[in-house]
Amino acid sequence: MRAIAKELRLKTIAVIGLGHVGLSFAMYYASKGHKVIGVDKDQNKINLIRDGKCYLFEPQLEELFLQYNATQFFAAHSTDIDYHKVDTALICVGSPFQDGSVCLKAIKEVADQLEKFPHLEIMVKTTLPPGSTRDLFKNHNKVYFVPEFLREGSAFSDIREQDLVVGVANKHQQVQIPTILSSMNKKIRITDFETAELLKYSSNAYHAMKIAFTNEISSIAQEYRVDAYELFDLFKSDHNLNISSHYLTPGPAYGGSCLSKDLSALTTLEKGPSQLTLLRSIEISNMNQIKRIERLIYQNKMESLCFIGISFKPETNDLRDSLVVKLMKSKQAMDKVERLYFYDPLNTREHISNIQSLSMYSEIIELVDTIVLGPHRLEDRYVLELVKEQKKVIDLGYFDYPQELKDSPNYQSVF
Ligand SMILES: NC(=O)c1ccc[n+]([C@@H]2O[C@H](COP(=O)([O-])OP(=O)(O)OC[C@H]3O[C@@H](n4cnc5c(N)ncnc54)[C@H](O)[C@@H]3O)[C@@H](O)[C@H]2O)c1
C-alpha cells in the first residue's frame, strides 16, 4: 500500500528554461523519482543533453545528470512538448535587466504557451517584479510563485536545505500545496504573490548591501592598518545585534544619540577613503524617510494634532535626535497645525517649544482630531476607540497594531 501511495505522488514535471536554476531543479526532481522533461528554446542545449553532455558546472550536477539523463530526464524543445502529458510546469526562464527595466519576454512567451493547458499546476521560480505572476497567469487557478534562493556553487545543498516561501493568489484562502513541494519535507510559509516576488529582490538587495558595507568598512580598516578579517570576525561574533533579526523590522527613521553621530564620525575620519558611497548615503536615506513622514502628517491643515510618545525609540525617555521632536518642531507643524499636543507617560515633565503635554488618554479623545502613533504604545482598545470616534490616526510604524485598526478608513501608515 505504501509503495502505491508513493507512486501516486510521482509526477511528470516540465522544467522550462534549462539554465543554472532549471537544470539543477530538473536533476533534483529526477533524483526523487519524478519524470522530468527539460524544456528550452535553445536547440543547442537540447542537442547537448541528448548527446549526454552536461553543459553547466555545478558540484554534483554532472553526476546526477549522467545517472538520470534519458531514464528520468528527457529534453524537449519548447515548440515540441505536449503539455497534456505534464502535471506540473516549473518555470525557470531568465528575467534579465535590460534597457532600464526587467525583460519579461521569456516568461510572457511561456505564459502564452501554457494558457491553453488549464489542468497544469504552475510553479514560477523566475525572479519577477511584484504583480507579474498575478498579471501573467490570470487564467490559471493552480499557480504558485516560489522565489528561488539557490546559490551557484551550492545549488543542491541550497535546494535541499532552504525553507520554502510559497506565494499564492490569496493567502487568506485554504491552499492546496503541490505535492512536489510538500514532499520536500521543509518548513513552508504561505504568502501572497507580491510579497513572495518582492522577498526575492529584497534578499538580493540586502546581500548586495552587506557586501558593499563590508568592503567600505574594510577600505577604512586598510587606511588604519586594521586587519579587516579580524574586524569582521569580531563583528560577526555579535549575534545579539549584528548578526540577528534586530533592526530588520519596518519602522520610521532612526534617531537617538549614537547612530547618526557615529555614522558622521566614520564617514569623516581623517584618514578614511573618500569613496564611502554606501555609508554616506545611509544618512541621506534616513533624512528622506523623515521628509516622507513629514509629507504624510502635514499634507492638510489641521485644527489639532497629538503625538503619542516623543522619545527617540520605545521604552526610553531619551529625546536626543528624536524623530517626533523633529516633527513637532518642524516649520510644517507651525504652518499646518493650530493646536499641537503630545502624550507620553515617560516624558511628563518635558517642555518642548511650549507644546502642550496631555497627561490622560481621555484628553486626547476630548481635544484632538488627528493622532500620530509614535514610540509610546497605546493599548489596542484605545487605538480602536480612536478610529471609532472618527479621529484620523497616522501610524509611524513603531508597533504592529491590530489589523482592525489598519482596516479603518481613518487610518494611515508610513508603510
Ligand atoms: N542563477 C542563479 O544563481 C539564480 C538563483 C536564484 C534565482 N535565479 C533566477 O532564476 C531565473 C533563472 O535563472 P538562470 O540563471 O537559470 O537563467 P538563465 O538565463 O541561465 O537560463 C534561462 C534559460 O531559459 C531559456 N529560455 C528562455 N526563453 C525560453 C522559453 N520561452 N521557453 C523555454 N526556455 C526559454 C534560455 O534559453 C535559458 O537556457 C532568473 O529569473 C534568475 O534571476 C537565478
Side-chain angles (χ1 to χ4, degrees):
M1 276 301 279
R2 203 180 275 173
I4 294 169
K6 198 175 168 206
E7 195 67 24
L8 287 174
R9 290 154 73 98
L10 295 178
K11 302 272 185 183
T12 300
I13 304 170
V15 175
I16 308 171
L18 296 174
H20 220 100
V21 173
L23 197 58
S24 303
F25 268 96
M27 290 312 129
Y28 171 79
Y29 282 120
S31 72
K32 296 288 167 199
H34 299 284
K35 177 181 174 188
V36 179
I37 305 170
V39 183
D40 207 287
K41 65 186 293 191
D42 181 344
Q43 189 61 48
N44 283 333
K45 288 187 178 172
I46 303 302
N47 293 343
L48 285 166
I49 292 170
R50 288 185 180 155
D51 288 346
K53 293 184 182 124
C54 183
Y55 49 83
L56 286 175
F57 178 76
E58 170 67 37
Q60 297 174 48
L61 182 68
E62 188 166 25
E63 200 185 313
L64 291 168
F65 179 86
L66 294 176
Q67 193 174 348
Y68 295 108
N69 189 31
T71 53
Q72 292 292 126
F73 174 64
F74 307 88
H77 190 268
S78 49
T79 52
D80 193 22
I81 166 160
D82 182 0
Y83 282 108
H84 289 112
K85 296 182 183 156
V86 171
D87 304 304
T88 303
L90 194 78
I91 304 177
C92 305
V93 294
S95 51
F97 190 78
Q98 278 170 358
D99 304 325
S101 61
V102 180
C103 175
L104 299 177
K105 185 169 170 278
I107 187 106
K108 278 183 179 155
E109 281 169 7
V110 175
D112 286 349
Q113 201 181 3
L114 300 188
E115 199 166 16
K116 296 165 221 106
F117 305 97
H119 75 282
L120 282 175
E121 206 169 52
I122 295 177
M123 244 165 280
V124 182
K125 294 233 141 246
T126 298
T127 302
L128 295 173
S132 308
T133 306
R134 194 177 297 282
D135 196 36
L136 287 162
F137 297 94
K138 290 185 199 76
N139 301 328
H140 275 94
N141 54 21
K142 284 180 282 177
V143 184
Y144 307 85
F145 180 84
V146 191
E148 185 45 53
F149 300 105
L150 71 73
R151 293 162 297 170
E152 292 180 21
S154 56
F156 289 101
S157 54
D158 287 344
I159 290 175
R160 288 188 198 106
E161 284 159 26
Q162 286 169 359
D163 290 337
L164 286 173
V165 172
V166 179
V168 296
N170 183 351
K171 66 180 174 189
H172 299 297
Q173 272 176 6
Q174 184 75 17
V175 182
Q176 179 85 36
I177 296 292
T179 50
I180 69 161
L181 295 181
S182 55
S183 61
M184 289 171 93
N185 289 329
K186 289 163 172 238
K187 188 169 155 204
I188 297 181
R189 290 199 51 183
I190 304 288
T191 183
D192 52 31
F193 287 141
E194 289 75 9
T195 308
E197 288 165 331
L198 190 54
L199 176 68
K200 172 64 192 167
Y201 281 118
S202 314
S203 304
N204 273 357
Y206 185 55
H207 303 156
M209 187 187 69
K210 282 200 284 191
I211 292 169
F213 169 81
T214 307
N215 290 339
E216 281 196 9
I217 297 283
S218 301
S219 71
I220 299 174
Q222 191 185 36
E223 299 299 329
Y224 283 88
R225 294 176 171 272
V226 167
D227 179 346
Y229 289 96
E230 187 193 350
L231 177 73
F232 276 96
D233 208 32
L234 292 167
F235 184 95
K236 285 182 284 192
S237 68
D238 174 358
H239 286 252
N240 184 32
L241 293 183
N242 291 356
I243 309 299
S244 75
S245 58
H246 277 284
Y247 307 122
L248 286 174
T249 306
Y254 61 74
S257 62
C258 294
L259 297 188
S260 197
K261 165 180 85 71
D262 292 349
L263 251 176
S264 302
L266 184 68
T267 50
T268 53
L269 285 174
E270 204 180 323
K271 286 198 249 166
S274 55
Q275 300 293 320
L276 296 172
T277 333
L278 174 67
L279 292 175
R280 291 218 164 89
S281 65
I282 295 173
E283 196 65 4
I284 299 170
S285 168
N286 199 52
M287 268 151 37
N288 287 340
Q289 173 73 340
I290 296 175
K291 284 185 199 147
R292 242 185 96 221
I293 294 171
E294 270 184 353
R295 282 196 297 275
L296 174 74
I297 297 176
Y298 300 119
Q299 49 191 314
N300 301 310
K301 286 218 171 227
M302 283 165 278
E303 269 193 22
S304 51
L305 172 71
C306 180
F307 285 91
I308 309 294
I310 59 172
S311 308
F312 88 90
K313 67 172 189 177
E315 302 298 336
T316 173
N317 63 351
D318 192 345
L319 297 181
R320 283 178 293 175
D321 204 15
S322 152
L323 168 67
V324 170
V325 173
K326 275 187 199 144
L327 294 170
M328 289 197 299
K329 287 183 169 178
S330 75
K331 185 175 175 306
Q332 304 237 47
M334 296 223 308
D335 292 349
K336 295 280 176 74
V337 187
E338 274 183 34
R339 286 179 286 120
L340 189 56
Y341 304 96
F342 69 85
Y343 169 79
D344 189 338
L346 295 182
N347 281 296
T348 46
R349 272 179 265 127
E350 286 297 335
H351 294 285
I352 295 160
S353 308
N354 297 326
I355 298 165
Q356 195 183 333
S357 156
L358 303 179
S359 54
M360 287 187 342
Y361 168 75
S362 57
E363 293 176 298
I364 304 172
I365 290 282
E366 202 181 311
L367 298 170
V368 186
D369 300 323
T370 303
I371 289 96
V372 177
L373 299 175
H376 173 73
R377 180 162 194 146
L378 273 191
E379 281 182 43
D380 288 0
R381 64 192 168 110
Y382 289 143
V383 287
L384 293 174
E385 188 185 1
L386 292 175
V387 285
K388 275 190 201 121
E389 291 288 326
Q390 299 305 318
K391 309 284 183 192
K392 184 175 169 191
V393 173
I394 300 172
D395 186 357
L396 296 188
Y398 285 96
F399 306 104
D400 194 8
Y401 282 110
Q403 191 59 39
E404 205 182 330
L405 171 75
K406 297 175 188 172
D407 291 340
S408 162
N410 298 328
Y411 172 88
Q412 271 190 307
S413 165
V414 182
F415 303 106

